[in-house]
Amino acid sequence: MIISLSAKNKIGFIDSSIPQPSVSSPEYSDWYRANSMVISWILNSLHKNITESVLFLQTVCDIWKELNQRYEQADGTLIYQINNNSIPSCTYVAGVEIMKFLEDQRLIQMLMGLDESFKVTHGQILMMKSLPPVSTTYSLILQEERQRGIHTYMNLNSEAIAMM
């Protein structure tokens, strides 16, 4: 959440560096709109039960403080166990499988981002016996897009010729 808020230049709402102006201030409506937007982002990222417990709070800063007080607690026992146990070594085979899994996840996310016009291409890629790398899929989508552009251009030309 901090990364997202930083990227959108809204981190000041959780650390109070963007203070709430008075209600009579001309900046209040802009602040209120941005505060409401950040609240919605935070609430949409929480579990329903947690959302219901902080829904009554009016500012991002108040919600953030409440969540920090509730969940930002050091677990000394867990830290001790992690430091006490040795981490098992990763084998080459396990590493390859993990990399393939992550690549497939990136591919699925990319396909989910395509609009409806790529539904056929999307289906063809998912029906492949082994999912292709993201770079190959990207190349296929670009080719499909270029091909559509050629067909559109050819259709326009034939219509223009017919009109002449």
Side-chain angles (χ1 to χ4, degrees), residues 10-158:
K10 302 292 185 223
I11 198 80
F13 282 90
I14 63 171
D15 65 10
S16 296
S17 63
I18 300 176
Q20 177 179 353
S22 68
V23 176
S24 60
S25 171
E27 293 95 25
Y28 181 78
S29 64
D30 290 337
W31 178 89
Y32 183 79
R33 184 170 17 98
N35 181 67
S36 297
M37 181 175 56
V38 175
I39 286 175
S40 73
W41 294 340
I42 291 173
L43 295 180
N44 286 329
S45 69
L46 297 174
H47 187 274
K48 182 183 175 191
N49 294 343
I50 298 170
T51 299
E52 290 171 356
S53 71
V54 295
L55 195 57
F56 65 93
L57 298 169
Q58 298 296 311
T59 67
V60 173
C61 187
D62 292 340
I63 292 172
W64 196 259
K65 284 178 185 175
E66 174 68 24
L67 293 172
N68 273 334
Q69 288 174 350
R70 195 179 301 175
Y71 298 108
E72 189 179 64
Q73 300 171 1
D75 189 347
T77 307
L78 180 60
I79 294 170
Y80 179 82
Q81 287 176 337
I82 291 170
N83 288 324
N84 193 25
N85 296 332
S86 62
I87 298 172
S89 60
C90 182
T91 64
Y92 175 77
V93 173
V96 169
E97 289 175 3
I98 290 169
M99 291 304 292
K100 175 67 175 148
F101 173 78
L102 293 174
E103 180 76 9
D104 289 349
Q105 292 301 308
R106 281 190 226 106
L107 175 67
I108 298 297
Q109 287 177 346
M110 185 175 96
L111 293 174
M112 288 171 56
L114 295 175
D115 64 16
E116 287 294 314
S117 66
F118 288 97
K119 195 171 190 171
V120 173
T121 308
H122 176 270
Q124 289 171 341
I125 291 168
L126 289 176
M127 290 184 63
M128 292 181 177
K129 186 170 185 122
S130 170
L131 290 176
V134 171
S135 57
T136 304
T137 304
Y138 181 72
S139 185
L140 289 170
I141 292 168
L142 283 178
Q143 286 176 346
E144 173 71 22
E145 200 169 41
R146 278 192 223 112
Q147 190 174 18
R148 288 178 186 179
I150 290 170
H151 289 307
T152 303
Y153 179 74
M154 290 175 66
N155 288 341
L156 289 175
N157 283 343
S158 62

